[in-house]
Amino acid sequence: QVQLVESGGGLVQPGGSLRLSCAASGRTVSSYNMGWFRQAPGKEREFVAAISTIRWSTYYEDSVKGRFTVSRDNRKNTVYLQMNSLKPEDTAVYYCNGDLSNRFGSWYPGEYWGQGTQVTVSS
């Protein structure tokens, strides 16, 4: 079992930055593919980024490539999402997820979810 707790969301102006954190307990994050999903109002939850257990390779949804960076600190048992050059369309609740799987090039969520943290990009 893994418990995930996100933090770091908030209100930011377009072009600004935020760093989300996902603190894990129960099992080490190094044991799982870890990642982030987001859900905007009226939309389905979508994949944002993942970091795998294989060489810590990273993967991103096309709209965030070059702007977002996912990383993990195994000593702190924490996963991060650094978000730069934020746009209004990035506004959503962001969810940390554990034990993602990749099938045919697409990432699917695992069974472990955090409670979500709101990110609002607005002037």
Side-chain angles (χ1 to χ4, degrees):
Q1 279 284 6
V2 178
Q3 292 79 43
L4 303 173
V5 178
E6 301 102 332
S7 60
L11 173 64
V12 64
Q13 293 187 344
S17 298
L18 283 174
R19 188 176 80 156
L20 306 183
S21 299
C22 172
S25 60
R27 292 284 299 272
T28 60
V29 295
S30 61
S31 301
Y32 301 100
N33 296 324
M34 300 294 297
W36 295 87
F37 289 76
R38 66 185 179 185
Q39 187 166 19
K43 295 187 177 181
E44 293 186 355
R45 195 171 296 188
E46 65 174 0
F47 168 77
V48 176
I51 183 165
S52 80
T53 59
I54 302 174
R55 296 185 296 274
W56 307 144
S57 297
T58 57
Y59 304 85
Y60 300 94
E61 191 270 330
D62 285 345
S63 70
V64 308
K65 284 180 181 177
R67 300 188 298 122
F68 290 12
T69 303
V70 61
S71 61
R72 63 203 302 165
D73 184 333
N74 292 333
R75 293 177 303 169
K76 295 183 177 179
N77 215 27
T78 299
V79 177
Y80 302 97
L81 185 68
Q82 177 67 44
M83 304 185 296
N84 298 328
S85 302
L86 282 161
K87 304 176 181 180
E89 51 263 43
D90 295 318
T91 295
V93 178
Y94 283 71
Y95 297 90
C96 181
N97 182 259
D99 203 19
L100 288 79
S101 59
N102 186 287
R103 296 190 295 277
F104 305 109
S106 295
W107 285 94
Y108 295 88
E111 63 181 296
Y112 305 115
W113 290 99
Q115 81 285 358
T117 185
Q118 177 70 47
V119 171
T120 302
V121 184
S122 175
S123 55

